[in-house]
Amino acid sequence: MKKFTCKELRKAWVDFFVSKDHLHLPSSSLLPAEDPTLLFTSAGMVPFKEYFNGTKKPPHPRIATIQKCLRTTDLESVGKTARHCTFFEMLGNFSFGDYFKKEAIEWAYEFSIKVLEIDPEKIHVSVYHEDQEAYEIWNKHIGIPEHKIVRLGKEQNWWGPAGDSGPCGPCTELYFDRGEHICHTETGCGNPATCKPGNDCDRFFEYWNLVFNEYFQDTEGNLHPLPQKGIDTGAGLERIVALLNGTDSVYETDELLSLKEEIQKQIETILKRKLDFSFQTQSALRVLTDHVRSVTFAMSDGIFPENTGRGYVIRRIIRRALLFAYQLGITEAILYKIQPKVVEIYASFYPELEEHRKKVQDVLYEEEQRFLETLNKGMKKWEEFLEEHKKEQKQVFDGEKAFILYDTFGFPVEITRELAEKEGLSLDIETFNQKMEEQKQLSKQTQQWKDFQFPHNFPLINEQTEFTGYFKYREKSKILAIIYNNQSITKLDKKDIAIIITDRTNFYPEGGGQIGDTGIIKKRQSLFRVIDTKKKGNLILHIGHVEKGKFQVGDEVDLIIDEEKRKFTTYHHSATHLLHKALRDVLGDSVFQTGSLVSDEYLRFDFSYNKRLTEQQLEEVERRVIDAILAKADVKIKHLPLEEAKKTGALAFFGEKYGEIVRIIEMGENGKYSMEFCGGCHVQNTNEIRYFHIIKESSPGAGNRRIEAVANQKALQYFYEKIQKLKKEWEDKNQKMPNQLSWNLPETMEEITEYMSSNPYSSIQLEKRIIQFEIQLQEIEKKLKKELKKEKSLEHLLEKNLQFENLNSVKLYSFIEENLTPEELRILGDKIKEKEPYALILAASVQKEKASLMFTCTKKLIELGIDCSELLSQSVKAFSGKGGGKKDLAQGGVEKNYVNEVISFAKKLAREKILK
Ligand code: SER
């Protein structure tokens, strides 16, 4: 056998199949382009499902690839065995209605013995037990003796579909006989019942699977013959390299080994000691090797850690890796330090790794930090829980506790299960799931249609709805199918939710971030209200309910979309493209889209960037978008094959497939303002967008920022609503504390429109003015609060001091307080006077050494001849105090020791005056 490095094998593979007239295509993304039911690209055939189904034409009938694959079903076995990996490269050759079993088998054999130089004696094969044809080819045509061919059942020799539906068929597998000494069966080697390919006895090592795709399996599990037969073969790159080099473990193949060594080096540097050779340590190294490679590849394809779906699996892998590192004594971020090594090893074959290197490293670091913040606490909690369980001698770990670990400490439940199993406990997954379910119920509404499946035997599954609605608000069409209550029906008159499918439609189905259209489907007097539009496969679903009359399959109908809603959605979609470009121009090319929502109300754009944007950057971005709008740039739509499209430099979102015709939206000459792949609805000239304004900047998760913005009329609406709210607040404050701040903002829709048209960047200015006004209002609010506090305490003082002395009709109030300012004394006096028309108040407040004095009285008392000023000056005279003022109010001061005397004296004088 020849020895191969991974690199050499990749080349040998491609050369061989190109010599057999195969088109070599680069690997597709790990994100399956159009298959939401599939988490990741898990096999070489995944990107070609539609070629097999016959719904799309391949660029060539024979294709060969080396496809990046991610399989996470065996995640928990990774580390424990020498062979399990989550990420692997699959060597594959494919035929779409071209060659079939004979050539597929011939070439697999030829490649094995001529290129890999495997000893033919060592090759064994398995065939599907009913596949006589394959058996004969192996036996008669190739010459594999009968005793080296085993017939296996569906479990082992039937492959597919990948995902919930798709092509599948019988398969045949090639095995390498590693020799009797490897056999682990208890019954001893050579026992034909147990020692054979397909059994767990390690002697026969499977290295290649050839699938004969003949059927389409629907979501119900029914098989339908495919319009054309096909070949899909798959061989794991590292498995073959391991086999040829005689190593037991894929982790000993050249590339993975160098990665593993790097990890070991990094860890030893941190720990300042050498690692041992225990199973636990070696497992942890394998886990780290595999996991860091998987997440680097996945993130470079735009699959970032998140709380749900694909992103959740990536998060789980990262966390699992950190947990194993933790068990080696590593409590700091480490994966981000290893990622550059993954890039170094693989970037020559997978350039996307280099392209997104920085971004992936940043996100990885942040993601690690996040988990590490709780990992310590989580492990403590776990140990506490474990202790409790042990004390109570429980065999099963509580689901509720697993939920706490998940919810509070971010432990994926699979990790908790793994930890529990290590301790000999199983996990009560039902309770955990129940807890999760309760949590999920909350967000269920929005998820409602995500999991929609076509009913059993749905007739149109392979058909296509023609979308005609980029610039059409009305369309005529024919009803092809109606789905009600998860059944395909022909007549619909019920008023509950139903789905209508027509042969063409102008209703845009939710996709590329853009929301689905709403509107009506009409037939004379009958009316179906469409509340949402979605795409499933190649069909467009109008989701809604009958409002009037009835509908049936075959009806000619009018399709009328909500024009207004579509228009605003379109403005927002085009504005999103301008925003994307502006962000890249301002922040750099490492910025790329990670998600978006385009609705009629606003747009939301998520992108890779790990710092909060400064005010200047946000303004600059907004200004650039506005410039693009003012430039009145034409928007051109082009359709190009993906390869050509990429050359134009258009921004591509993840998931497009090679060979496909893609739609490019070009704004401005040579994409001056934007050039992007997109299937959505756009304006014909940027000027239609009219206004653009960023309303919020935030972060939806590690390494990502989110911008929310509004366009056209919605920008005016945004300001209008904001200013109206502000006006109310201002009115309220102004009433409580008049003349502090005068209203100075445009207020009515007309005023706002006028202001917005006054100069190109008025949205930025108006926002600034609003913020300024808000700050001023906050100042007033602070003052008001202070006042309120004061008033509250004055109220209290008032109650306390309302005792008075009755002198005929006059009420004489006198009190001495502590720590009131002269101003507060005066307010207190005013409050009493508000309540009492015949009041004379003689008040003092003691502070440190001095006491302030305040005498005040109502008008009535002045009429009676009272003069506060005189009263005060007479009272303080004998005590070397000071003071004066007017008849109704006098203020002064005296040394604190004399305050009682002064007030008593003043009271005496007042009594005399009043009672005289
Ligand atoms: N689809 C088959 C597999 O994944 C052969 O490529 O094994």
Side-chain angles (χ1 to χ4, degrees):
M1 259 181 326
K2 214 168 147 182
K3 288 207 183 326
F4 275 86
T5 62
C6 293
K7 223 180 199 150
E8 286 161 355
L9 182 57
R10 286 189 195 102
K11 182 168 181 323
W13 179 267
V14 172
D15 289 349
F16 180 81
F17 282 101
V18 167
S19 81
K20 306 284 182 206
D21 188 28
H22 284 64
L23 169 69
H24 169 226
L25 291 185
S27 172
S28 284
S29 168
L30 281 171
L31 187 88
E34 271 157 28
D35 197 340
T37 68
L38 208 56
L39 275 178
F40 305 107
T41 300
S42 55
M45 60 77 68
V46 167
F48 305 137
K49 274 171 96 171
E50 282 166 306
Y51 300 159
F52 283 115
N53 294 349
T55 45
K56 263 199 186 137
K57 202 172 135 34
H60 192 72
R62 298 177 184 185
I63 287 178
T65 58
I66 299 172
Q67 173 64 45
K68 299 176 277 188
C69 296
L70 198 54
R71 285 187 191 172
T72 53
T73 35
D74 287 333
L75 183 60
E76 281 150 51
S77 303
V78 176
K80 292 176 193 150
T81 72
R83 268 188 244 143
H84 279 98
C85 284
T86 53
F87 175 88
F88 60 96
E89 290 161 88
M90 194 172 242
L91 309 168
N93 57 293
F94 307 90
S95 150
F96 311 102
D98 192 64
Y99 64 85
F100 201 46
K101 294 184 188 177
K102 185 162 157 282
E103 294 85 342
I105 291 177
E106 260 173 18
W107 292 333
Y109 190 70
E110 185 185 333
F111 188 77
S112 298
I113 60 167
K114 296 232 172 95
V115 182
L116 304 180
E117 297 177 13
I118 295 179
D119 176 359
E121 287 303 310
K122 302 235 179 243
I123 295 178
H124 289 237
V125 299
S126 66
V127 295
Y128 181 55
H129 62 115
E130 287 173 7
D131 191 354
Q132 189 56 25
E133 191 187 348
Y135 185 93
E136 307 262 314
I137 297 172
W138 278 120
N139 183 234
K140 303 233 160 68
H141 183 62
I142 305 286
I144 303 280
E146 250 174 66
H147 72 274
K148 287 191 183 166
I149 309 177
V150 16
R151 293 177 194 263
L152 296 173
K154 201 151 185 180
E155 182 104 330
Q156 278 140 324
N157 273 176
W158 184 277
W159 200 89
D164 66 349
S165 60
C168 59
C171 60
T172 179
E173 289 175 312
L174 285 85
Y175 289 81
F176 175 80
D177 180 0
R178 303 204 294 161
E180 290 178 14
H181 61 290
I182 302 285
C183 183
H184 297 318
T185 50
E186 282 168 12
T187 44
C189 192
N191 181 337
T194 50
C195 182
K196 62 179 182 187
N199 263 23
D200 272 344
C201 125
D202 269 347
R203 172 173 167 184
F204 297 100
F205 183 88
E206 185 236 311
Y207 69 92
W208 202 338
N209 183 14
L210 320 179
V211 184
F212 311 127
N213 278 320
E214 289 180 65
Y215 299 96
F216 176 87
Q217 183 174 315
D218 65 25
T219 49
E220 306 281 318
N222 305 309
L223 295 178
H224 311 273
L226 282 172
Q228 51 170 26
K229 291 178 181 173
I231 290 294
D232 148 31
T233 91
L237 175 89
E238 272 137 357
R239 277 177 81 88
I240 295 192
V241 174
L243 164 80
L244 298 176
N245 296 343
T247 62
D248 263 355
S249 162
V250 291
Y251 292 96
E252 302 303 319
T253 55
D254 59 312
E255 292 175 349
L256 277 183
L257 185 64
S258 71
L259 182 58
K260 193 162 69 122
E261 283 169 352
E262 170 72 15
I263 295 171
Q264 180 155 359
K265 199 176 90 197
Q266 294 277 0
I267 293 180
E268 288 176 347
T269 311
I270 297 173
L271 296 180
K272 298 198 182 71
R273 65 170 167 83
K274 292 266 169 233
L275 288 176
D276 58 41
F277 290 97
S278 67
F279 177 74
Q280 199 189 358
T281 303
Q282 295 308 312
S283 294
L285 284 176
R286 284 196 289 258
V287 166
L288 285 158
T289 307
D290 171 79
H291 287 11
V292 78
R293 181 170 71 152
S294 296
V295 300
T296 300
F297 271 94
M299 286 160 80
S300 302
D301 276 347
I303 312 168
F304 289 99
E306 258 184 277
N307 266 342
T308 53
R310 300 180 171 119
Y312 174 64
V313 180
I314 298 308
R315 175 159 286 170
R316 223 177 100 191
I317 298 177
I318 294 172
R319 294 185 175 188
R320 187 170 186 267
L322 289 176
L323 204 76
F324 274 85
Y326 181 91
Q327 287 166 351
L328 290 180
I330 302 291
T331 51
E332 60 193 70
I334 176 152
L335 307 182
Y336 81 101
K337 288 188 184 162
I338 313 167
Q339 175 253 5
K341 183 75 185 175
V342 180
V343 179
E344 183 196 309
I345 299 173
Y346 294 99
S348 61
F349 208 71
Y350 301 103
E352 61 276 18
L353 296 178
E354 182 57 46
E355 211 175 302
H356 302 298
R357 188 170 59 89
K358 169 95 182 47
K359 158 85 191 148
V360 169
Q361 189 173 33
D362 290 349
V363 176
L364 200 47
Y365 176 72
E366 260 194 63
E367 179 69 15
E368 289 190 72
Q369 289 297 357
R370 263 194 194 196
F371 184 53
L372 288 168
E373 273 166 29
T374 54
L375 177 62
N376 244 325
K377 286 192 210 124
M379 283 307 284
K380 286 216 180 77
K381 194 87 215 159
W382 152 255
E383 272 149 26
E384 241 172 65
F385 285 159
L386 186 66
E387 216 29 49
E388 281 170 32
H389 279 71
K390 282 193 173 153
K391 241 187 238 154
E392 293 167 27
Q393 298 192 331
K394 284 190 180 168
Q395 307 288 317
V396 183
F397 191 77
D398 288 354
E400 214 159 304
K401 300 224 156 79
F403 185 75
I404 295 173
L405 288 171
Y406 164 80
D407 205 34
T408 319
F409 303 100
F411 277 39
V413 67
E414 297 78 7
I415 285 187
T416 305
R417 190 195 357 235
E418 233 180 303
L419 288 171
E421 277 170 3
K422 261 197 200 156
E423 300 295 332
L425 294 168
S426 60
L427 174 73
D428 174 9
I429 192 75
E430 276 88 41
T431 311
F432 176 85
N433 287 340
Q434 195 185 321
K435 285 265 147 202
M436 285 293 277
E437 196 46 43
E438 285 166 18
Q439 208 183 43
K440 266 191 211 148
Q441 284 303 329
L442 296 170
S443 58
K444 204 170 168 200
Q445 282 294 314
T446 48
Q447 298 275 320
Q448 204 181 4
W449 292 103
K450 215 180 110 206
D451 303 325
F452 170 80
Q453 296 294 350
F454 282 115
H456 181 63
N457 284 346
F458 187 67
L460 303 173
I461 222 152
N462 290 324
E463 301 209 10
Q464 189 164 356
T465 315
E466 187 191 353
F467 177 69
T468 58
Y470 282 121
F471 298 103
K472 253 188 183 173
Y473 300 125
R474 296 180 81 103
E475 177 64 289
K476 282 193 185 305
S477 189
K478 199 167 85 183
I479 296 185
L480 293 185
I482 301 172
I483 299 171
Y484 175 75
N485 215 355
N486 208 20
Q487 286 189 342
S488 184
I489 58 168
T490 51
K491 280 191 189 131
L492 176 72
D493 55 3
K494 302 272 192 317
K495 301 241 187 301
D496 321 309
I497 225 89
I499 291 170
I500 288 185
I501 297 171
T502 54
D503 64 352
R504 62 165 170 263
T505 183
N506 55 337
F507 278 73
Y508 180 84
E510 183 189 318
Q514 184 179 328
I515 58 165
D517 274 325
T518 57
I520 53 173
I521 297 180
K522 258 176 69 176
K523 182 192 69 177
R524 290 184 299 276
Q525 295 310 312
S526 299
L527 194 150
F528 181 85
R529 176 140 328 257
V530 180
I531 57 166
D532 203 355
T533 311
K534 302 256 179 200
K535 195 168 182 186
K536 178 87 182 169
N538 289 324
L539 291 172
I540 295 176
L541 319 177
H542 304 98
I543 303 162
H545 48 85
V546 172
E547 260 182 26
K548 260 198 308 194
K550 49 178 174 264
F551 290 87
Q552 65 185 58
V553 171
D555 279 350
E556 299 284 343
V557 286
D558 288 319
L559 304 171
I560 305 159
I561 62 167
D562 181 335
E563 195 173 321
E564 185 80 346
K565 183 168 174 169
R566 163 70 81 81
K567 270 191 187 154
F568 285 113
T569 306
T570 300
Y571 301 140
H572 284 133
H573 204 154
S574 297
T576 304
H577 284 210
L578 297 178
L579 172 66
H580 190 181
K581 172 78 161 70
L583 281 168
R584 287 172 67 95
D585 288 346
V586 173
L587 304 177
D589 280 351
S590 66
V591 163
F592 60 92
Q593 174 170 353
T594 54
S596 79
L597 173 76
V598 177
S599 78
D600 53 330
E601 291 300 333
Y602 78 120
L603 70 90
R604 196 177 75 196
F605 186 77
D606 294 350
F607 57 101
S608 54
Y609 196 66
N610 42 23
K611 278 193 284 294
R612 172 180 287 278
L613 271 65
T614 64
E615 201 181 313
Q616 287 75 10
Q617 285 170 328
L618 282 169
E619 273 179 26
E620 182 58 24
V621 169
E622 180 155 334
R623 228 177 269 130
R624 279 169 186 263
V625 175
I626 294 171
D627 287 343
I629 295 171
L630 295 176
K632 300 194 167 79
D634 280 334
V635 177
K636 281 189 225 126
I637 292 163
K638 290 183 183 160
H639 292 90
L640 292 177
L642 180 63
E643 312 80 87
E644 245 174 85
K646 276 191 171 160
K647 285 189 211 131
T648 65
L651 292 178
F653 194 42
F654 301 101
E656 271 89 5
K657 273 186 296 176
Y658 197 85
E660 240 169 11
I661 299 290
V662 293
R663 185 167 178 261
I664 297 182
I665 313 294
E666 182 179 10
M667 303 186 177
E669 219 37 56
N670 296 321
K672 180 168 181 208
Y673 299 109
S674 158
M675 177 130 74
E676 250 186 74
F677 292 19
C678 179
C681 299
H682 288 277
V683 297
Q684 285 167 289
N685 185 291
T686 54
N687 202 236
E688 288 169 48
I689 303 169
R690 218 34 222 285
Y691 307 113
F692 172 83
H693 181 54
I694 295 175
I695 59 175
K696 197 173 167 196
E697 195 263 353
S698 59
S699 170
N704 281 299
R705 303 300 305 174
R706 166 172 292 175
I707 282 185
E708 289 163 55
V710 280
N712 198 283
Q713 206 57 30
K714 299 289 171 182
L716 303 180
Q717 191 69 29
Y718 160 82
F719 281 120
Y720 179 74
E721 279 163 22
K722 195 155 182 172
I723 290 174
Q724 288 301 315
K725 219 173 117 215
L726 211 53
K727 179 86 197 253
K728 280 211 183 73
E729 277 172 41
W730 174 80
E731 275 168 352
D732 177 54
K733 303 223 154 68
N734 197 43
Q735 204 183 17
K736 289 182 184 147
M737 202 175 244
N739 304 327
Q740 299 277 328
L741 173 65
S742 36
W743 180 254
N744 61 15
L745 295 171
E747 188 185 336
T748 60
M749 205 49 160
E750 289 72 41
E751 283 167 2
I752 291 171
T753 314
E754 196 188 313
Y755 185 86
M756 286 286 280
S757 318
S758 63
N759 93 53
Y761 312 117
S762 33
S763 53
I764 299 174
Q765 287 153 8
L766 188 51
E767 189 73 62
K768 275 194 177 149
R769 285 181 58 188
I770 290 176
I771 291 171
Q772 188 56 33
F773 198 84
E774 278 171 341
I775 294 172
Q776 286 171 312
L777 267 189
Q778 278 162 12
E779 286 301 317
I780 299 181
E781 174 72 28
K782 269 191 221 149
K783 274 194 199 165
L784 272 171
K785 278 208 177 116
K786 241 171 151 180
E787 283 293 303
L788 201 69
K789 223 166 114 195
K790 224 189 286 167
E791 263 185 39
K792 275 213 180 115
S793 67
L794 289 179
E795 285 299 327
H796 169 75
L797 285 178
L798 197 58
E799 264 168 46
K800 194 172 108 194
N801 293 314
L802 272 180
Q803 292 88 341
F804 50 85
E805 185 179 338
N806 255 322
L807 304 169
N808 296 339
S809 53
V810 174
K811 290 180 174 158
L812 174 62
Y813 296 83
S814 65
F815 50 85
I816 301 166
E817 277 298 332
E818 274 176 24
N819 291 327
L820 291 181
T821 61
E823 167 81 358
E824 284 164 342
L825 273 180
R826 194 181 50 73
I827 296 173
L828 205 51
D830 287 349
K831 294 228 175 250
I832 300 174
K833 288 195 289 181
E834 269 169 32
K835 288 189 203 280
E836 184 47 65
Y838 286 88
L840 169 61
I841 301 131
L842 310 173
S845 165
V846 181
Q847 292 132 327
K848 287 192 189 142
E849 299 304 309
K850 295 266 177 208
S852 13
L853 300 164
M854 194 268 329
F855 292 3
T856 184
C857 68
T858 57
K859 268 201 201 114
K860 299 272 184 211
L861 288 216
I862 298 174
E863 284 161 20
L864 290 179
I866 294 286
D867 179 344
C868 289
S869 172
E870 198 187 300
L871 201 55
L872 182 73
S873 52
Q874 283 181 8
S875 309
V876 293
K877 217 193 287 170
F879 305 98
S880 354
K882 274 192 248 155
K886 293 188 193 151
K887 284 191 178 168
D888 66 335
L889 172 69
Q891 285 177 296
V894 72
E895 251 181 62
K896 142 176 161 186
N897 295 341
Y898 301 130
V899 68
N900 286 323
E901 280 91 337
V902 171
I903 294 292
S904 304
F905 187 67
K907 270 160 76 176
K908 198 173 133 249
L909 287 179
R911 275 187 212 115
E912 283 167 9
K913 191 101 194 167
I914 294 162
L915 299 173
K916 76 171 185 244

